[in-house]
Amino acid sequence: MYLTSLAIISATLIGSISAQTVFYGNFVHSVNVTSLEHATNGVIAVDRSGKIIQVETNASASQAQQIARKYGVSLFPLGNQKFLMPGLIDTHIHAPQYVFTGSGMDLQLLDWLNTFTFPRESRFNNTNYARSAYSKVIDRVIRSGTTAASYYATIHLEASKALADIVASRGQRAFVGKVNMDRNSPDYLIETTAQSLKDTEAFIQYVQGKKNSRVAPIVTPRFVPSCTSELMRGLSALATKYNVPIQSHLDENLDEIAWVKQLHPDQPDYTSVYDSHGLLTNRTIMAHVVYPSDAERQLLKQRGAGISHCPNSNLSLRSGIAKIRQMLSEGQKLGLGTDVSGGYSPSILNNIRNGYFSAIARSFEHPDDKYLKLAEMFYLATLGGADVLGMKSSIGNFVVGKQFDALIIDPLSHGSPIDLFDHDDIKTTFEKFINNGDDRNIIEVFVDGRSIHRI
Ligand SMILES: *[C@@H]1O[C@H](CO)[C@@H](O)[C@H](O)[C@H]1NC(C)=O
Ligand SMILES: *[C@@H]1O[C@H](CO)[C@@H](O)[C@H](O)[C@H]1NC(C)=O
Ligand SMILES: *[C@@H]1O[C@H](CO)[C@@H](O)[C@H](O)[C@H]1NC(C)=O
Ligand SMILES: *[C@@H]1O[C@H](CO)[C@@H](O)[C@H](O)[C@H]1NC(C)=O
Ligand SMILES: *[C@@H]1O[C@H](CO)[C@@H](O)[C@H](O)[C@H]1NC(C)=O
Ligand SMILES: [Zn+2]
């Protein structure tokens, strides 16, 4: 399944010791929330375990050759136009909803769930159907340049296991969650509390038992309205027992918020409902968070929970525009999510663009919330996403000691939607790709230094 790059072959032939690949050429990555680094004569050396062992930003051709010789491999030259960038990170995606992505966007959240989402998800009680659908979504997401993702499956144990199997076999880095729903759900898509907890524990054991360093389980209560207090407490206990992260939805839509208030009148707000059930930890990922009060934002920050901003979804389901500028300045852990298929695009590039426009739209009415710059959007798509997944120390940019999760972008690939001119340098080429590029430009995808997709 893994395509082998030329450099890997030569490393094997020479029987070299440490480096697997030494890339030479342009690269772009985030160094922090406000700054991008553009290297034109960059060197990135990656060892056999996929770890980045050397990074240079301005090496001559002969210096690069020397580095490659030191590691006993031949150089992997990118040429003048291609460049490397870190893989994109999707902190919130519903794998089963891919089957209706891009259709049925005319309803708001609660009606949309009942009309489209729940009937489609119910079909995942058929594991063969699930396997076929999940193969398609994982292929699409990888081609779109997503190297790490946090997936929601459905309530079905066998189908959820199939999703974990497919992600593992394709070599992507991911959290996979079996969804929990034991109240306020249709008869055809509901579990008893006991079954929900039992299947979740079995799912966690199954995924952890795979001993795959890239794929891990995540506890996934769908959202407060679909989970009883007993279920939420039980899930918190499982997250602690097996040391796994947690994901759910928060403050997405005003009707949803009012419903939660009705269900839990004793709690001051939606965030506190999760917190009082032990579900708000420093490994929790909350999606949307469009309408958080000051107190809720403080509580999220205090607990160290991450926030998945899903701009396409917010606009498509008309949920609202998040206070991203404000949350960034507060130092919240923030990343981007496609929210397939509340968001109609499986591409994080699309969400960079929609996040950018969302922030501009918000800035019209809230002049203090300055719009977001490209560097900030790219940070959210890579390093910020890594932070939300609890992986900031191991992925998200090109730093010695991190794992090489990366994309080779060819702005002039066959059928490319981009044209270059003689004034274009790495900075403008990168900008053109981010704003107008697509999967035709993503010619190779690496996770842990292994090529998992190549065109
Ligand atoms: C980000 O990095 C740039 C370049 O290294 C530096 O000038 C800037 O102060 C950093 N900003 C923050 C917020 O750390
Ligand atoms: C890159 O290295 C060359 C040769 O050493 C030098 O002339 C040039 O100024 C350097 N560029 C940057 C951006 O550091
Ligand atoms: C699966 O769910 C569908 C509803 O979408 C239902 O018609 C069917 O009977 C279910 N099959 C099984 C095996 O439970
Ligand atoms: C997360 O919380 C746990 C216990 O609550 C603590 O041990 C750990 O250091 C925290 N991690 C981070 C990154 O804050
Ligand atoms: C969606 O809207 C909510 C509410 O304004 C906001 O918190 C969230 O960040 C938005 N997400 C995106 C991706 O714009
Ligand atoms: Zn969602």
Side-chain angles (χ1 to χ4, degrees), residues 61-109:
S62 66
Q63 285 167 332
Q65 289 291 359
Q66 246 171 26
I67 293 169
R69 266 200 301 279
K70 176 173 81 178
Y71 296 118
V73 293
S74 52
L75 213 51
F76 187 126
L78 294 164
N80 287 334
Q81 259 98 29
K82 290 181 199 146
F83 63 90
L84 282 168
M85 60 175 248
L88 298 166
I89 298 181
D90 187 346
T91 59
H92 185 78
I93 170 167
H94 297 263
Q97 295 178 19
Y98 179 66
V99 304
F100 64 104
T101 299
S103 64
M105 303 306 299
D106 56 340
L107 298 175
Q108 286 200 292
L109 178 66

Side-chain angles (χ1 to χ4, degrees), residues 215-392:
V215 181
I218 183 165
V219 162
T220 307
R222 179 168 215 122
F223 66 156
V224 165
S226 72
C227 300
T228 59
S229 281
E230 187 188 348
L231 177 58
M232 288 193 276
R233 281 196 202 94
L235 291 174
S236 167
L238 286 175
T240 305
K241 178 174 175 190
Y242 292 95
N243 189 25
V244 297
I246 298 165
Q247 64 183 350
S248 196
H249 297 88
L250 174 65
D251 289 341
E252 178 172 3
N253 164 291
L254 294 173
D255 293 341
E256 171 211 17
I257 294 171
W259 192 11
V260 170
K261 186 76 210 161
Q262 218 176 13
L263 292 167
H264 297 271
D266 51 316
Q267 291 298 328
D269 51 49
Y270 198 160
T271 306
S272 302
V273 178
Y274 286 120
D275 192 47
S276 62
H277 291 89
L279 290 169
L280 207 59
T281 74
N282 60 16
R283 300 190 69 199
T284 297
I285 305 169
M286 283 296 168
H288 301 296
V289 197
V290 182
Y291 299 102
S293 64
D294 292 352
E296 289 186 280
R297 292 202 315 279
Q298 257 174 33
L299 185 55
L300 287 162
K301 171 106 203 250
Q302 199 182 339
R303 294 286 183 265
I307 296 166
S308 175
H309 177 58
C310 309
N312 182 311
S313 168
N314 276 0
L315 296 172
S316 296
L317 294 182
R318 284 167 285 139
S319 299
I321 293 177
K323 305 169 180 170
I324 287 305
R325 163 60 65 205
Q326 190 178 2
M327 295 200 277
L328 258 188
S329 1
E330 290 170 355
Q332 303 268 11
K333 270 198 246 172
L334 274 177
L336 289 183
T338 59
D339 195 24
V340 158
S341 73
Y344 65 75
S345 171
S347 162
I348 285 291
L349 285 175
N350 171 288
N351 280 279
I352 291 177
R353 298 163 196 163
N354 279 296
Y356 183 72
F357 279 128
S358 297
I360 290 176
R362 187 172 168 84
S363 73
F364 292 150
E365 289 200 1
H366 306 267
D368 290 345
D369 284 0
K370 287 221 182 60
Y371 72 92
L372 297 167
K373 300 220 162 78
L374 177 67
E376 293 170 308
M377 290 311 305
F378 192 70
Y379 169 87
L380 294 179
T382 54
L383 203 51
D387 196 17
V388 168
L389 298 188
M391 300 179 187
K392 198 176 188 179

Side-chain angles (χ1 to χ4, degrees), residues 119 122-123 125 188:
S122 73
R123 294 192 60 193
N125 61 0
Y188 59 80

Side-chain angles (χ1 to χ4, degrees), residues 122-149:
S122 73
R123 294 192 60 193
F124 286 73
N125 61 0
N126 179 328
T127 310
N128 286 332
Y129 174 78
R131 262 191 215 103
S132 147
Y134 284 154
S135 296
K136 287 184 185 158
V137 61
I138 300 306
D139 280 351
R140 179 64 59 190
V141 167
I142 290 174
R143 285 170 54 155
S144 304
T146 297
T147 50

